[in-house]
C-alpha cells in the first residue's frame, strides 16, 4: 500500500504513542524509520516497529526518556540517551554539535546508554547539510569474533562519514564492518537456504554455508583481519570512550528480552575550513567530479538520497505483512 512520507510517519508515531512512547520521542523515531524505509534500507526501517514496541512494553527501552547533554570540555559534548531510543539523542547532537565545531574547529559528541543507531548516513548527512564534515561510530550487540577467535566480542559496528560538496549533494559513506549484514543470514535461515562460505563462521570457528549454524556462530568481518581490527577501533570509540556497554555486554536489538542494550555512539564534526581558511568544499567538488568522470562509477550516498527524493514525491510502498504487523500493535 502506498503511503506519503507524512502519512507513514503519522501511522508509526501514533502506534508508538499508543504503546506509551512520549509524543516527541515517537515523532523522532518515526521520522528516522520512515526515512530509512524511503532510502531503501528496510532492515532499519518499518520492520523494526514491532521489535521496538515490544521492547518499550517490557522496559528494555524507555519510551519516555529524553536525552540530556552536558559540555564536558570546550569541544566535547556528553549525551546520555537515558536508556531510550537513539534518535532523540542523535537529534540533540545534530542540534548542539555544529556550533561547537565551528567555534573549536572540531568537536565530538559522546553518546552513552543508547539503542539502535539506525541508518547512520541519515545522521552524518545532516551535518554535511550544515557545511560540516562528520564521522560517526556505533557499536552493536556482539556478532563478530576477534580475528582467529570464536567468541563474539564485537558487533557489526558500523561507521559513517559525510562531507559537503560545493554545488552538489554531499558524499556519504555508511557501512557495517561485517562482510554482509546479519539480516541476510537471518533471511537465509528463515528460507532454509545456504549462504556463501565466506559470510560467517560456526561455533567452532569454521566457515559455514549453513545459515542456522552461522547465526549461532559469528559473522565474518569485512576485509578479514583488517575488518576485525576496525571493529575494535569502533568499539573503543563508541563504547570505551563514551562509557557505554561493550558489544559483548549488550543485549539483542531484535527481541524484548534482557536489560537495555546501553550502546554507544561517537560523532566527530569538523569545520572543513578550519585548517585551510576557506574553499575546502570547492576542492572537494573537484574530487567528486573526478571520481564521477568514469562511466559506471557511482558517488557514495547518491543512491539513497535519490530514493528518498523519489519517495518524497510518490510515497513509499509498505508491504502488507509489515503494515499488518504495525496495525496489530495499535
Amino acid at each position: 500500500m502506498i503511503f506519503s512520507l507524512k502519512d507513514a510517519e503519522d501511522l508509526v508515531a501514533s502506534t508508538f504513542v499508543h504503546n506509551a512512547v512520549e509524543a516527541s520521542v515517537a515523532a523522532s523515531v518515526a521520522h528516522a524509520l520512515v526515512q530509512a524505509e524511503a532510502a531503501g534500507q528496510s532492515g532499519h526501517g518499518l520492520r523494526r516497529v514491532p521489535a521496538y514496541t515490544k521492547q518499550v512494553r517490557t522496559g528494555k527501552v524507555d519510551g519516555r526518556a529524553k536525552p540530556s547533554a552536558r559540555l564536558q570540555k570546550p569541544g566535547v559534548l556528553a549525551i546520555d540517551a537515558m536508556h531510550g531510543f537513539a534518535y532523540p539523542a542523535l537529534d540533540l547532537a545534530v542540534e548542539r554539535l555544529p556550533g561547537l565545531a565551528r567555534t573549536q574547529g572540531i568537536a565530538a559528541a559522546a553518546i552513552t546508554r543508547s539503542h539502535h543507531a539506525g541508518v547512520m548516513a541519515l545522521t552524518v548527512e545532516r551535518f554535511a547539510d550544515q557545511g560540516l564534515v562528520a564521522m560517526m561510530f556505533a557499536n552493536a550487540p556482539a556478532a563478530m569474533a576477534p580475528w582467529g577467535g570464536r567468541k563474539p566480542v564485537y558487533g557489526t559496528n558500523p561507521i559513517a562519514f559525510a562531507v559537503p560538496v560545493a554545488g552538489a549533494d554531499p558524499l556519504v559513506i555508511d557501512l557495517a564492518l561485517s562482510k554482509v549484514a546479519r539480516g541476510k543470514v537471518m533471511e537465509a535461515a528463515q528460507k532454509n537456504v545456504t549462504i556463501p562460505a565466506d559470510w560467517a563462521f560456526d561455533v567452532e570457528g569454521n566457515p559455514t554455508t549453513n545459515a542456522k549454524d552461522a547465526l549461532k556462530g559469528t559473522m565474518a568481518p569485512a576485509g578479514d583481519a583488517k575488518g576485525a581490527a576496525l571493529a575494535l577501533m569502533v568499539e573503543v570509540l563508541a563504547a570505551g570512550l563514551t562509557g557505554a556497554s561493550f558489544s559483548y555486554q549488550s543485549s539483542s536489538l531484535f527481541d524484548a528480552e534482557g536489560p537495555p542494550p546501553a550502546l554507544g555512539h561517537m560523532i566527530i564534526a569538523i569545520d572543513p575550513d578550519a585548517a585551510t581558511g576557506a574553499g575546502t568544499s570547492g576542492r572537494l567538488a573537484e574530487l567528486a567530479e573526478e571520481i564521477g568522470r568514469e562511466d559506471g562509477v557511482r558517488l557514495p550516498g547518491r543512491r539513497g538520497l535519490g530514493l528518498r527524493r523519489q519517495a518524497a514525491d510518490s510515497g513509499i510502498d509498505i508491504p502488507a505483512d509489515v503494515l499488518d504487523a504495525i496495525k496489530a500493535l495499535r
Side-chain angles (χ1 to χ4, degrees), residues 44-59:
H44 294 294
L46 300 186
R47 291 185 181 276
R48 294 272 178 166
V49 175
Y52 278 16
T53 302
K54 292 173 184 176
Q55 290 170 13
V56 170
R57 290 175 176 176
T58 63

Side-chain angles (χ1 to χ4, degrees), residues 210-225:
N210 186 302
K212 293 179 180 178
D213 288 345
L215 288 176
K216 295 176 183 177
T218 58
M219 298 294 295
D224 299 329

Side-chain angles (χ1 to χ4, degrees), residues 121-133:
L122 298 173
T123 297
V124 294
E125 181 187 278
R126 293 160 74 187
F127 287 94
D129 287 342
Q130 298 183 63
L132 299 171
V133 176

Side-chain angles (χ1 to χ4, degrees), residues 186-213:
M186 295 180 69
E187 181 180 2
Q190 292 169 355
K191 294 180 177 179
N192 199 30
V193 298
T194 60
I195 60 173
D198 62 347
W199 278 16
F201 305 98
D202 62 20
V203 292
E204 299 299 325
N206 300 311
T208 181
T209 60
N210 186 302
K212 293 179 180 178
D213 288 345

Side-chain angles (χ1 to χ4, degrees), residues 35-305:
Q35 287 296 310
E37 194 78 22
Q41 300 289 340
S42 59
H44 294 294
L46 300 186
R47 291 185 181 276
R48 294 272 178 166
V49 175
Y52 278 16
T53 302
K54 292 173 184 176
Q55 290 170 13
V56 170
R57 290 175 176 176
T58 63
K60 190 171 185 175
V61 178
D62 185 348
R64 298 192 178 278
K66 294 184 178 180
S68 63
R70 65 185 186 279
L71 195 62
Q72 289 287 88
K73 298 281 186 178
V76 180
L77 185 68
I79 298 177
D80 188 346
M82 308 291 287
H83 293 309
F85 289 107
Y87 307 111
L90 298 175
D91 291 343
L92 186 56
V94 171
E95 175 189 338
R96 297 279 299 273
L97 196 59
L100 297 176
R102 292 189 187 98
T103 299
Q104 303 293 327
I106 183 171
I111 302 174
T112 191
R113 298 204 297 177
S114 192
H115 192 253
H116 176 229
V119 178
M120 294 182 355
L122 298 173
T123 297
V124 294
E125 181 187 278
R126 293 160 74 187
F127 287 94
D129 287 342
Q130 298 183 63
L132 299 171
V133 176
M135 293 178 283
M136 182 173 173
F137 309 89
N139 72 331
M144 291 198 303
W147 190 248
R150 295 181 296 178
K151 178 184 176 182
V153 175
Y154 313 134
T156 53
N157 289 12
I159 60 177
F161 173 80
V163 58
V165 176
D169 294 325
L171 299 177
V172 183
I173 298 168
D174 183 358
L175 52 90
L177 293 178
S178 53
K179 188 160 290 186
V180 299
R182 197 161 187 250
K184 290 187 177 181
V185 179
M186 295 180 69
E187 181 180 2
Q190 292 169 355
K191 294 180 177 179
N192 199 30
V193 298
T194 60
I195 60 173
D198 62 347
W199 278 16
F201 305 98
D202 62 20
V203 292
E204 299 299 325
N206 300 311
T208 181
T209 60
N210 186 302
K212 293 179 180 178
D213 288 345
L215 288 176
K216 295 176 183 177
T218 58
M219 298 294 295
D224 299 329
K226 295 179 181 179
L230 287 173
L232 170 59
M233 178 192 76
V234 172
E235 198 71 39
V236 171
L237 289 168
L241 301 189
T242 67
S245 293
F246 291 115
S247 292
Y248 69 88
Q249 298 171 321
S250 298
S251 59
S252 173
L253 293 173
F254 295 112
D255 60 42
E257 301 173 3
L263 295 165
H265 324 304
M266 177 70 76
I267 302 173
I268 301 172
I270 305 170
D271 178 351
D273 293 328
T276 61
T280 304
S281 63
R283 294 190 67 239
L284 296 174
E286 294 177 15
L287 173 62
E289 183 179 355
E290 182 64 25
I291 294 170
R293 286 185 190 279
E294 187 175 356
D295 290 341
V297 173
R298 185 175 66 197
L299 293 169
R302 301 295 169 82
R303 177 180 177 274
L305 184 55

